[in-house]
């Protein structure tokens, strides 16, 4: 079975590594230039990353750049809520992706040739999957130095219109904002001086109902494995890659692979629909109290998986 992986970000480089290591005839494609700095806060839960990398010969601890002690949350009132870390760190994502690709066959082009399976790991562009109703927010991120030491911070904009973040990264910081309002992004970043500016949209709508088309199968942000409330997409996208790898190792029949993958994805990520519903109804001020318990459960699980020891009482105070 010949497999092409289009897009070699977090999900594609991980899948290509797993397939190549297991002896599959797999080839990767990504036209991005060497040294291209992917817009991302580079934050992930070190426990989840360690689990994911246990299927490779790479040691996640060697990629960590900053570890959080506390994570500071605030909203419009600027009242600060502090939570303990459950493993959130920033890491050298570019070096990890380059190392994952070291033993793999790939080229800096778009896909050429014919394949039994074409994996769409092209992130927000979703290049090979059908166009469907989508929801994205625009983001701008600065790489900068700050005089005063800062913790990991999230500051939510009014009515679910996005958030501003500061993530320490070695001796620098990632300071960024994602929002449906450009004014929010601009005003929150105004106090900072960028050494580098990067920008792209982030998909916040789960598209798990549209993850394949013919011999194309999607993973990662292409299918919306991004938390609608935190924008966390690295670990979820790598998890989706692992689920496709599992389905491919279980069968060599395309339809069976697609069926198995779909049920694994639904089981792992269905809660993103609850979180997306929370986000959209928060934006429209149509939150229904009867859904509160499921919103709280899904939010708590989501934030804990990102590596933040979020307490229900805090979620209640902040979001309801
Ligand atoms: C500003 C910002 C900050 C973020 N911060 C965090 C964070 O701190 N933690 C976190 O967990 N998540 C974060 N995310 C989300 C996270 O970065 C993504 O969800 C995750 O990296 C998605 O991985 P992916 O492999 O699906 O896609 P990507 O990593 O986006 O990779 C897609 C790849 O496809 C390639 N490509 C595009 N078109 C084609 C084509 N036609 N052919 C071949 N290749 C193609 C691109 O060059 C790219 O390399 C952030 C997102 C943004 C925008």
């Amino acid at each position: 079975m010949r497999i092409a992986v289009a897009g070699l970000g977090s999900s594609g480089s991980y899948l290509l590594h797993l397939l190549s290591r297991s002896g599959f005839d797999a080839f990767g494609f990504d036209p991005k230039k060497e040294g291209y700095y992917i817009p991302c806060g580079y934050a992930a839960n070190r426990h989840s990353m360690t689990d994911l990398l246990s299927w490779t010969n790479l040691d996640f601890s060697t990629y960590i750049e900053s570890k959080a002690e506390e994570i500071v949350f605030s909203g419009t009132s600027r009242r600060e809520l502090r939570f303990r870390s459950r493993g959130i760190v920033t890491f050298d994502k570019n070096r990890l992706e380059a190392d994952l690709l070291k033993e793999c066959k790939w080229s800096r082009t778009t896909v050429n040739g014919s394949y039994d399976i074409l994996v769409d790991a092209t992130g927000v562009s979703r290049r090979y999957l059908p166009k469907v109703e989508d929801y994205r927010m625009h983001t701008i991120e600065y790489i900068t130095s700050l005089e005063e030491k800062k913790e990991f911070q999230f500051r939510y904009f009014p009515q679910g219109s996005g958030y501003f973040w500061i993530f320490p990264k070695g001796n620098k910081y990632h300071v960024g904002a994602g929002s449906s309002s450009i004014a929010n992004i601009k005003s929150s970043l105004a106090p900072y001086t960028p050494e580098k500016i990067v920008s792209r949209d982030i998909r916040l709508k789960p598209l798990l109902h549209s993850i394949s088309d013919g011999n194309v199968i999607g993973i990662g942000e292409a299918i919306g494995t991004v938390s609608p409330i935190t924008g966390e997409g690295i670990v979820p996208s790598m998890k989706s890659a692992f689920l496709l790898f599992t389905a491919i190792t279980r069968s060599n029949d395309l339809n069976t692979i697609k069926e198995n993958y779909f049920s694994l994805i639904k089981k792992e990520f269905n809660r993103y629909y609850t979180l997306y519903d929370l986000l959209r109804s928060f934006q429209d001020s149509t939150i229904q109290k009867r859904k509160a318990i499921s919103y709280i459960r899904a939010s708590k699980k989501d934030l804990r998986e990102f590596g933040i020891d979020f307490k229900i009482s805090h979620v209640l105070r902040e979001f309801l």
Side-chain angles (χ1 to χ4, degrees), residues 197-239:
I197 305 179
V198 288
S199 171
R200 76 165 174 94
D201 281 2
I202 185 166
R203 169 166 291 123
L204 295 177
K205 181 169 178 174
L207 302 178
L208 313 181
H209 45 283
S210 177
I211 64 172
S212 66
D213 182 36
N215 73 334
V216 178
I217 306 180
I219 58 173
E221 194 165 332
I223 60 162
T225 53
V226 181
S227 161
I229 62 166
T230 65
E232 181 195 11
I234 301 170
V235 165
S237 294
M238 289 175 71
K239 275 189 183 164

Side-chain angles (χ1 to χ4, degrees), residues 239-281:
K239 275 189 183 164
S240 72
F242 188 78
L243 297 179
L244 180 56
F245 173 69
T246 307
I248 290 173
T249 52
R250 283 185 189 160
S251 169
N252 51 18
D253 171 68
L254 179 62
N255 287 331
T256 313
I257 291 171
K258 282 171 29 172
E259 272 166 33
N260 288 343
Y261 176 56
F262 181 60
S263 58
L264 291 168
I265 282 284
K266 245 178 52 181
K267 198 166 165 215
E268 179 71 37
F269 295 109
N270 230 16
R271 69 194 159 87
Y272 280 179
Y273 285 104
T274 308
L275 294 174
Y276 180 68
D277 186 48
L278 168 65
L279 173 72
R280 300 296 275 159
S281 46

